[in-house]
Amino acid sequence: MTREHPEDDAPAPGPEPKPTGWAAEPADPDTAIDPWPPKPGRPSRTPAREQAAILSVIALGGALGACARYGATLIWPTDPTAFPWTTFWTNVSGCAAMGVLMVLITERFTVHPLVRPFLGTGVLGGFTTFSTATIDTQRLLDGGRLATALLYVSATLAAALAAVWAAAALTRRAVV
Amino acid sequence: MNWLMVVLGALAGAPLRYLTDRAVQVRHTTVFPWGTFGVNVTACALLGFLTGATTAATVPPALQHLVGPGLCATLSTYSTYSFETLRLAEAGAKFFAAANALVSVLAGLGAAYLAGALATALLG
């Protein structure tokens, strides 16, 4: 994305509407804890106590999310040559929950500063997994299941993006 | 025992993802989410190494659970990856959104294969 040069543009009819809600926030939700946009020069520093609290709730949330994901793989084990449904639904449901969470905490409620690190970065970040999905694909490819591998990669990506988008849109309609 | 190992791996993986993401994000000014990209590809490499090592040698189940569903799966994330992709597309950065979606998948697979081959070469 290129920076806009206002002096090159035709005179604007009025001030641009300020983005609100999650459009006003950085794409990376983990950086939203700092003031945005960051001040040029040195990176902003979060006080040590606050940083320790953030790291603790992320670790705790990550452990909860990982237990839920690991539990799901024990309840619904997947055959190594079959479509990895368990990881697929883990990732898609985690993405839907992310869409709901981000609308609720950026557009509807003002929440405690530890809610986003705990639920977003910790629980949902730990519940969903990119690496397991990649290794699932590798195993399918190694097993000669090219079509299943391609279907798995594209279906996970498409369903995950659709889940974030649809969950956010439905949450906005329901509560914002 | 396996549950404990998953919890221990996750207790390290989630904060590591956050710290790495933030360390990367303050060091560049592009809109591309290099932080999440970096942790995801790194986790794929680690998990690829573990898979290769498990094929080439005997890896204790406790270690497999610590590194696999514990550390690597928690270090990587699909929810932030897809959220960032959607946000890039919404913000008009369609090229970066598509690049993030595709390059992450390809780089993750490439990293997993390279690390798996390295594990086989070292341990096989």
Side-chain angles (χ1 to χ4, degrees):
Chain A
M1 205 160 66
T2 53
R3 296 242 180 268
E4 297 282 340
H5 294 286
E7 66 273 19
D8 297 340
D9 292 337
E16 290 233 338
K18 274 205 159 189
T20 54
W22 81 14
E25 305 226 357
D28 185 334
D30 289 346
T31 54
I33 293 155
D34 288 332
W36 195 265
K39 289 205 180 83
R42 57 177 31 228
S44 64
R45 299 196 72 84
T46 317
R49 268 179 81 102
E50 213 175 296
Q51 191 70 2
I54 291 171
L55 287 174
S56 306
V57 297
I58 288 175
L60 181 68
L64 287 172
C67 283
R69 165 171 41 73
Y70 179 61
T73 64
L74 296 182
I75 298 171
W76 300 287
T78 316
D79 187 271
T81 58
F83 189 95
W85 284 111
T86 308
T87 308
F88 173 85
W89 284 118
T90 298
N91 281 333
V92 174
S93 60
C95 288
M98 188 75 164
V100 174
L101 174 74
M102 293 305 288
V103 169
L104 289 182
I105 66 178
T106 61
E107 300 178 9
R108 180 66 181 85
F109 300 108
T110 306
V111 292
H112 190 275
L114 291 178
V115 169
R116 188 203 300 239
F118 175 67
L119 289 178
T121 313
V123 175
L124 294 179
F127 181 62
T128 61
T129 173
F130 189 85
S131 54
T132 310
T134 302
I135 298 299
D136 287 341
T137 309
Q138 185 191 29
R139 193 182 53 240
L140 289 169
L141 288 173
D142 288 346
R145 306 259 166 175
L146 180 64
T148 312
L150 286 176
L151 181 68
Y152 178 56
V153 168
S154 41
T156 302
L157 186 56
L161 288 172
V164 179
W165 179 82
L170 288 173
T171 309
R172 259 185 210 121
R173 279 185 67 139
V175 299
V176 177
Chain B
M1 185 62 175
N2 288 345
W3 279 95
L4 178 67
M5 289 294 136
V6 172
V7 168
L8 287 177
L11 285 175
L16 264 177
R17 165 161 40 80
Y18 171 76
L19 290 173
T20 310
D21 183 20
R22 305 235 321 166
V24 172
Q25 290 305 94
V26 297
R27 279 169 180 78
H28 72 89
T29 52
T30 65
V31 294
F32 195 84
W34 286 112
T36 307
F37 175 86
V39 286
N40 276 345
V41 173
T42 307
C44 287
L46 266 173
L47 197 54
F49 189 90
L50 176 74
T51 309
T54 312
T55 316
T58 312
V59 180
L63 185 59
Q64 287 186 39
H65 282 83
L66 179 75
V67 179
L71 179 66
C72 291
T74 313
L75 180 63
S76 67
T77 173
Y78 217 101
S79 48
T80 306
Y81 160 68
S82 57
F83 179 77
E84 288 171 357
T85 305
L86 180 73
R87 283 280 295 109
L88 285 173
E90 279 183 346
K94 296 253 175 0
F95 170 77
F96 285 104
N100 185 41
L102 295 177
V103 176
S104 294
V105 167
L106 293 176
L109 266 177
Y113 270 107
L114 281 177
L118 181 68
T120 313
L122 289 175
L123 305 165

